Amino acid sequence: GAVVSQHPSRVICKSGTSVKIECRSLDFQATTMFWYRQFPKQSLMLMATSNEGSKATYEQGVEKDKFLINHASLTLSTLTVTSAHPEDSSFYICSARVRAENTEAFFGQGTRLTVV
Amino acid sequence: RKEVEQDPGPFNVPEGATVAFNCTYSNSASQSFFWYRQDCRKEPKLLMSVYSSGNEDGRFTAQLNRASQYISLLIRDSKLSDSATYLCVVNYGQNFVFGPGTRLSVLP
């Protein structure tokens, strides 16, 4: 299957700092990328849908000014957690789909963020 | 009502058992359906797509009933390595909606 690379896999940062997470589709062009958050023992919660070259669509309750998403190319989307707080500590996962609809999504390896 | 609902679990079964997971979805415009598995602290990985005619991949069988908006996954002869959380995923347009997942533990 297609490969999605997410980096970093693990990050620890101090409260108030910003963290950038990268998501790359390595062998296909992804017009749409998704960002999820998963708290322990809970399901994946969609945060936002990112389309190349346009603004991301955020889910209700997700602060767009706190979670900045950039999808500047067909192979790269970034999520920046700004002014991180301990409650932002979570597992963040991106996924990407090939151009066609009705295809499966491929996931990055996830980023475990710990804010201290 | 949640868009995608699954058996709450967890399921604890002995090796060799057959286990079935159920999933229902609320959006009748849903176009495609998948089962993913997620191991602890890992990303979800596609297990299989689900087709209207039903499909089988080794010990795994997936079925879809569009009229009832219901999806199932059957695992036969379960192995220890099948222990994971199984996620039902429903797609419409560019929306990819995950169910809450059902955790399976296969016991020796």
Side-chain angles (χ1 to χ4, degrees):
Chain A
V3 178
V4 175
S5 176
Q6 186 174 340
H7 178 80
S9 59
R10 187 181 296 268
V11 59
I12 300 173
C13 71
K14 291 184 178 180
S15 287
T17 61
S18 295
V19 174
K20 180 186 280 189
I21 303 169
E22 291 189 350
C23 180
R24 295 180 184 272
S25 56
L26 296 185
D27 52 0
F28 67 100
Q29 293 182 325
T31 51
T32 305
M33 289 188 173
F34 305 88
W35 287 96
Y36 296 86
R37 181 167 52 182
Q38 187 176 36
F39 292 106
K41 298 189 178 182
Q42 294 188 24
S43 183
L44 287 94
M45 297 302 296
L46 180 65
M47 298 175 67
T49 301
S50 165
N51 289 302
E52 184 263 339
S54 63
K55 290 183 179 179
T57 302
Y58 289 81
E59 295 298 299
Q60 194 172 12
V62 178
E63 300 174 58
K64 62 181 181 181
D65 293 330
K66 180 171 180 62
F67 299 99
L68 301 178
I69 291 173
N70 184 285
H71 192 163
S73 77
L74 285 171
T75 59
L76 173 65
S77 177
T78 61
L79 167 67
T80 301
V81 182
T82 62
S83 187
H85 290 136
E87 56 264 33
D88 297 326
S89 299
S90 186
F91 191 49
Y92 292 86
I93 309 176
C94 70
S95 73
R97 301 175 73 184
V98 297
R99 284 183 176 273
E101 292 182 346
N102 300 331
T103 57
E104 68 266 32
F106 299 95
F107 286 84
Q109 300 89 334
T111 297
R112 190 160 299 283
L113 171 64
T114 303
V115 184
V116 297
Chain B
R1 182 186 171 190
K2 292 182 180 176
E3 288 191 79
V4 181
E5 298 193 68
Q6 295 185 239
D7 289 329
F11 283 43
N12 299 312
V13 303
E15 270 186 289
T18 295
V19 60
F21 300 132
N22 300 314
C23 171
T24 57
Y25 60 95
S26 60
N27 190 330
S28 59
S30 299
Q31 299 158 293
S32 51
F33 311 89
F34 309 92
W35 283 102
Y36 279 74
R37 70 169 277 168
Q38 185 178 23
D39 294 291
C40 189
R41 294 174 170 260
K42 299 281 188 180
E43 77 276 20
K45 293 190 176 176
L46 179 68
L47 180 65
M48 58 197 308
S49 302
V50 187
Y51 304 117
S52 296
S53 55
N55 48 303
E56 186 174 309
D57 182 4
R59 298 182 292 110
F60 300 86
T61 301
Q63 294 201 313
L64 166 65
N65 184 321
R66 285 188 184 269
S68 302
Q69 296 181 193
Y70 167 88
I71 307 158
S72 66
L73 175 68
L74 184 77
I75 304 176
R76 289 180 298 278
D77 188 23
S78 52
K79 312 290 184 190
L80 295 176
S81 58
D82 293 333
S83 298
T85 296
Y86 290 82
L87 303 166
C88 173
V89 182
V90 172
N91 164 235
Y92 52 93
Q94 67 174 13
N95 294 295
F96 219 68
V97 183
F98 282 82
T102 302
R103 192 152 64 88
L104 170 67
S105 293
V106 181
L107 308 173

